[in-house]
């Protein structure tokens, strides 16, 4: 991805005290696209193919602005365990936005895994975000994943999983 491509995408981001400098229409025009979801998918697939961490972040910005297509699930799942980027929290948010039972194993993995670059985070923000995404994901698979996280090595994730089960009206031992 060229620096100009990144600039156009970054212009969509609002920073504290200022509005975004760019518009979604400018991004579409720059990339010669008419569908922002398709563009986001193309950028995600390109990031995976090129193992480009910066492009992962740019694709997630585009996906956040335009939304995700169901086809985004595959590259997002591929990115879950990739150690060549630092956008795992964004991946959690994107998977959570899809509300897909197919994302459950990836979300469970991300709830329990701590990438080296997040090792400092005692609050386990990524893990808690993944639990919240599981909480909003329909189906028994998500409930089973939440139950599985009750055995997590992190007390914060265990507590979030217990709250997630209670919010779904499921007891922690139900179905075990």
């Amino acid at each position: 991805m060229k620096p100009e491509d990144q600039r156009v995408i970054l212009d969509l981001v609002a920073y504290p005290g200022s509005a975004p400098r760019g518009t979604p229409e400018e991004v579409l025009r720059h990339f010669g696209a008419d569908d922002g979801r398709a563009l986001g998918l193309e950028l995600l697939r390109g990031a995976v193919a090129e193992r480009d961490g910066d492009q992962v972040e740019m694709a997630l910005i585009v996906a956040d602005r335009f939304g995700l297509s169901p086809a985004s699930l595959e590259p997002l799942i591929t990115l879950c365990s990739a150690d060549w980027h630092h956008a795992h929290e964004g991946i959690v948010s994107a998977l959570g936005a899809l509300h897909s039972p197919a994302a459950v194993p990836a979300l469970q993995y991300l709830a329990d895994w701590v990438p080296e670059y997040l090792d400092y985070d005692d609050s386990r923000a990524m893990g808690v975000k993944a639990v919240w995404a599981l909480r909003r994901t329909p189906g028994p698979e998500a409930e089973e994943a939440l139950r599985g996280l009750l055995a997590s090595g992190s007390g914060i994730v265990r507590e979030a999983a217990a709250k997630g089960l209670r919010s779904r009206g499921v007891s922690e031992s139900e179905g075990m």
Side-chain angles (χ1 to χ4, degrees), residues 23-141:
T23 66
E25 294 77 21
E26 290 169 340
V27 171
L28 293 174
R29 191 169 35 257
H30 175 81
F31 285 94
D34 57 3
D35 180 347
R37 286 182 181 204
L39 175 61
L41 175 59
E42 178 184 330
L43 293 174
L44 277 172
R45 287 179 173 160
V48 170
E50 296 172 27
R51 296 176 54 100
D52 184 335
D54 290 337
Q55 190 166 329
V56 172
E57 293 185 29
M58 297 302 110
L60 290 172
I61 291 169
V62 170
D64 184 60
R65 186 63 176 108
F66 293 102
L68 292 159
S69 74
S72 299
L73 186 61
E74 181 184 346
L76 289 169
I77 289 173
T78 299
L79 289 166
C80 285
S81 60
D83 62 1
W84 47 264
H85 69 84
H86 292 176
H88 294 91
E89 286 189 61
I91 301 297
V92 167
S93 296
L95 287 171
L98 289 170
H99 303 286
S100 172
V104 167
L107 287 167
Q108 185 175 6
Y109 172 79
L110 290 168
D112 220 19
W113 178 56
V114 180
E116 188 176 315
Y117 72 93
L118 290 177
D119 194 37
Y120 71 90
D121 183 10
D122 293 335
S123 69
R124 295 295 315 279
M126 183 179 82
V128 172
K129 285 179 185 180
V131 169
W132 281 91
L134 285 167
R135 176 183 170 183
R136 294 185 310 269
T137 301
E141 300 91 346

Side-chain angles (χ1 to χ4, degrees), residues 1 5-12 31 43 58 61-62:
M1 177 174 282
D5 298 338
Q6 289 183 355
R7 186 197 59 74
V8 169
I9 292 171
L10 288 171
D11 281 350
L12 289 175
F31 285 94
L43 293 174
M58 297 302 110
I61 291 169
V62 170

